[in-house]
């Protein structure tokens, strides 16, 4: 049974017309109860009934506002292979308690149609909130039916047959995250690239759109946090580099580098269509409400690395790029040597260092880039960052790597996927999240303890049970520190985060190095609340 879209949370004019004096309005026998008993009853309602109750009288509206005084995150996962049923399961679960949706994040398997999913979700949650629906390589969350916490990674195709005799794609499932964040404004803002327009200009416009929205709703011209979803064929490195340059250090950015998505903004004017150009990314922007009367919501980030350095350091000697497959061909010199080395020679040395490893790890090069950045006509400023590029192969001429943006003279080092490094890093994440909990328990405001109310995870598809040999490893730092607190996430194709502290926190010269896009990592976004 489906509920109708959630109604407004304020008393309607028709209700006021029937009786402006609450004491003269008979609502069953509830008008005889005191406010504490009414609050106890209303707090047990499902969200649709709760929203309707908030529209009945002014006194009930005030009680409902009191119930939802604090922020709330509600999440649910379903592996039901039927889209309509799966959506009903997760929506019914997140709406089983009082909540007023301010945004929704929906992650689905490739077996579910994005546009149909969006239509079903908006039909249940309403049409005036931002919603992002994206395809994931796996989903993380609590099952809507069993409440069992699961990390689910999908393969490509089901190896057998379904009951009707047809091969079936097993990438069918959904995790839904709905947030109520009083004191923040939330909106979805797209990165649109019209034809014949440079990417650099579009990224500048995107950054300015985010800041202009923040300035329009907040006392500051920057957002508190951004969840960024990139389109699979787009290069998100320059996007993250520009955002990292343009935003203050306390603006948190997390997300999935490569996905397929559809979105709708709360404001229809921001819903870009294909005629305007390609939509290369969408940002869910969280900006402090200038009219905030509740407490302070804070976003925390943590990062678990899953790679370790291998071999000597190199400097690129020559660089060619291929626009057809967005790859780079390069030769290099070992640090302190003059000889130009081809790809075959370089990889031979690396493979010799890895010959004792039972499984062949994935290889990357981490390139340190010294660049100048600016927004619009602003003065370019120097900045150092590191970018990972997947190693494709090598021959007697070149080393081939994914992506572009590498220049002659850039320094780089090889990195391999490493479960031992990931496990050690997870222990540090556990301690970092524990510190948030301890800090919250040590600070009080009146009788209210600072608390964590939700979290999101963006984990590399290469991790999970096949990487660690155990289930739910990536989720464990959060689950152990915050039992019972809603948590959801995805296995994605590239993990984005800033600010963060990595094992490459400083360059040889001692200046900070920024690293916003990671490989074989897991990014944690933790949300906490401090009452006024």
């Amino acid at each position: 049974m489906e509920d109708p879209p959630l109604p407004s949370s304020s008393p309607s004019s028709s209700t006021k017309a029937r009786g402006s004096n609450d004491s003269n309005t008979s609502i069953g026998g509830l008008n005889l109860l005191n406010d504490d008993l009414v609050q106890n009853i209303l707090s047990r309602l499902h969200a649709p009934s709760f929203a309707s109750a908030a529209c009945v009288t002014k006194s009930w509206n005030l009680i409902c506002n009191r119930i939802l005084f604090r922020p709330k995150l509600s999440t649910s996962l379903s592996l039901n292979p039927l889209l309509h049923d799966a959506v009903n399961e997760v929506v019914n679960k997140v709406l089983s308690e009082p909540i007023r949706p301010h945004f929704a994040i929906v992650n689905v398997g490739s077996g579910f149609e994005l546009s149909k999913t969006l239509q079903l979700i908006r039909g249940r949650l309403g049409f005036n909130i931002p919603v992002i629906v994206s395809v994931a390589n796996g989903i993380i969350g609590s099952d809507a039916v069993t409440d069992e916490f699961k990390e689910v990674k999908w393969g490509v195709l089901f190896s057998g047959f379904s009951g009707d005799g047809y091969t079936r794609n097993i990438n069918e499932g959904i995790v839904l995250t709905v947030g109520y964040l009083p004191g923040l404004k939330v909106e979805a803002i797209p990165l649109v690239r019209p034809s014949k327009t440079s990417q650099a200009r579009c990224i500048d416009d995107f950054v300015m759109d985010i800041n202009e929205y923040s300035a329009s709703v907040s006392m500051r011209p920057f957002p508190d946090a951004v969840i960024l979803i990139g389109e699979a064929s787009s290069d998100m490195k320059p996007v993250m580099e520009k955002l990292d340059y343009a935003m203050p250090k306390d603006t948190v950015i997390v997300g999935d580098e490569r996905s397929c998505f559809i979105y709708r903004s709360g404001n229809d004017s921001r819903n870009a269509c294909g005629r305007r150009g390609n939509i290369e990314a969408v940002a869910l922007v969280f900006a402090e409400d200038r009219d905030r009367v509740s407490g302070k919501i804070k976003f925390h980030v943590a990062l678990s690395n899953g790679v370790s350095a291998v071999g000597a350091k190199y400097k690129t000697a020559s660089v060619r790029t291929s626009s057809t497959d967005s790859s780079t061909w390069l030769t290099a010199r070992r640090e302190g040597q003059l000889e130009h080395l081809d790809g075959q020679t370089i990889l031979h040395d690396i493979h010799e260092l890895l010959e004792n490893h039972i499984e062949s790890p994935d290889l990357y090069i981490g390139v340190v880039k010294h660049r100048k950045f600016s927004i619009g006509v602003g003065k370019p400023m120097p900045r150092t960052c590191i970018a990972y590029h997947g190693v494709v192969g090598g021959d007697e001429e070149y080393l081939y790597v994914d992506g572009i943006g590498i220049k002659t003279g850039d320094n780089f080092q090889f990195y391999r996927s490493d479960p031992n490094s990931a496990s050690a890093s997870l222990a540090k994440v556990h301690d970092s999240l524990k510190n948030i909990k301890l800090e919250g328990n040590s600070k009080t405001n009146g009788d209210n303890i600072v608390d964590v109310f939700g979290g999101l995870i963006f984990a590399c598809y290469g991790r999970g049970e096949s990487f660690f040999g155990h289930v739910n490893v990536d989720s464990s730092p959060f689950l152990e520190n915050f039992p019972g607190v809603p948590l959801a996430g995805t296995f994605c194709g590239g993990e984005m985060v800033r600010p963060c502290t990595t094992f490459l926190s400083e360059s040889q010269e001692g200046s900070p190095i920024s690293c916003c896009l990671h490989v074989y990592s897991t990014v944690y976004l933790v949300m906490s609340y401090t009452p006024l």
Side-chain angles (χ1 to χ4, degrees), residues 131-201:
V131 179
I132 298 176
V133 184
S134 66
V135 175
N137 293 314
I139 52 179
I140 300 170
S142 294
D143 191 279
V145 177
T146 66
D147 285 330
E148 178 186 358
F149 195 88
K150 299 176 178 179
E151 292 183 1
V152 181
K153 274 175 51 177
W154 287 307
V156 179
L157 288 175
F158 182 64
S159 58
F161 290 85
S162 60
D164 54 12
Y166 293 95
T167 57
R168 181 169 63 84
N169 190 320
I170 64 170
N171 295 6
E172 294 160 342
I174 181 172
V175 61
L176 169 64
T177 301
V178 173
Y180 167 66
L181 304 181
L184 292 180
K185 294 289 188 179
V186 190
E187 183 58 296
I189 297 177
L191 166 55
V192 183
R193 185 176 181 181
S195 59
K196 300 180 181 180
T197 304
S198 71
Q199 186 187 37
R201 178 180 172 183

Side-chain angles (χ1 to χ4, degrees), residues 71 182-184 220 224 250 288 292 294-299 450-451 453 528-532:
L184 292 180
R220 50 180 288 183
D224 286 17
D250 60 349
E288 186 174 298
R292 175 172 66 94
S294 57
K296 173 70 175 178
I297 295 172
K298 186 175 181 180
F299 298 86
V450 178
D451 69 316
F453 65 89
S528 69
Y529 174 74
T530 306
L532 288 176

Side-chain angles (χ1 to χ4, degrees), residues 353-425:
L353 295 172
L354 298 174
E355 65 179 356
N356 293 326
H357 290 271
I358 298 175
E359 294 186 4
S360 178
D362 290 338
L363 284 178
Y364 303 85
I365 60 171
V367 183
V368 178
K369 301 178 180 180
H370 301 279
R371 304 288 190 266
K372 289 186 176 182
F373 294 94
S374 64
I375 299 291
V377 295
K379 180 181 178 181
M381 300 295 291
R383 197 169 187 84
T384 301
C385 60
I386 181 171
Y388 291 100
H389 298 259
V391 175
V392 177
D395 58 22
E396 295 179 353
E397 286 191 280
Y398 297 106
L399 176 70
Y400 303 100
V401 298
D402 287 330
I404 58 177
I406 303 173
K407 293 184 178 181
T408 300
D410 284 344
N411 296 307
F412 70 89
Q413 189 170 14
F414 280 85
Y415 292 87
R416 65 180 179 91
S417 55
D418 184 357
N420 293 327
S421 293
S423 296
S425 182

